Amino acid sequence: MGRAAIGTAFREDKTARKVTLSKRKKGLYKKSQELAQLCGVEIAIICVGPYSKPSIFVASPAGEREDIEAVSRVCQAYSDAMAGKGPGVAMKEPSPLTTELIQLRGHCASLQQEVATLRAHENKPESARTEEIRRLRLLCSSLQQEVASLGGQSEVQQPDAETAELAMAADRLAVFASAQPID
């Protein structure tokens, strides 16, 4: 005996809508992971709507992930492959600046994790907290110098969006580092 067909009309009942979203999202994630393993591709799924909390999922041959960095990497790979080209274009090697931007994003994410750890462990001795804050400030300064050096390279064309994003990341880190008191 087969399954009964389920209509695709909007679910008016809030509970039924949540259950349907949850079940179908799990099925979609499972199918995307199977496709990724079968074909050796990466698939990013972003689910946003007024009736549910946002969720992300990346299926790849190496396994599934649910972090924003993986989604960002897949979306960037898609953007790079499609920049000014039609469908069916093979992915190109990322530019050195794009590679550096990805590394800086990872560095920024690790710094944000360190900040979260610092906030979670505020009851540490003052000397340890002071040393960690100084280290963050040094890292912030080096990130700002990197942004400045990338902005000053005229022989390499860098999209304005990358420079702006690097500058914003450095500014956010600088604001946090300056907000932390040192004895």
Side-chain angles (χ1 to χ4, degrees), residues 9-105:
F10 181 75
R11 305 279 192 259
E12 296 296 332
D13 181 73
K14 188 176 182 179
T15 304
R17 188 171 47 241
K18 285 183 177 181
V19 169
T20 300
L21 176 66
S22 177
K23 287 181 178 180
R24 293 209 174 196
K25 195 165 43 170
K26 284 180 186 176
L28 180 62
Y29 290 171
K30 184 177 178 182
K31 289 293 183 183
S32 65
Q33 184 59 42
E34 290 173 5
L35 182 62
Q37 288 178 340
L38 286 171
C39 301
V41 296
E42 289 185 305
I43 301 168
I45 299 172
I46 303 170
C47 182
V48 181
Y51 307 106
S52 68
K53 66 179 185 176
S55 62
I56 56 176
F57 181 83
V58 173
S60 69
E64 57 190 55
R65 295 183 61 181
E66 293 183 13
D67 60 303
I68 194 70
E69 293 164 2
V71 172
S72 178
R73 182 178 41 77
V74 173
C75 290
Q76 184 63 46
Y78 175 79
S79 294
D80 290 347
M82 298 306 293
K85 298 178 181 168
V89 176
M91 290 194 38
K92 61 180 182 177
E93 288 293 320
S95 71
L97 291 176
T98 302
T99 304
E100 188 169 358
L101 177 62
I102 291 169
Q103 290 172 348
L104 288 173
R105 284 179 184 158

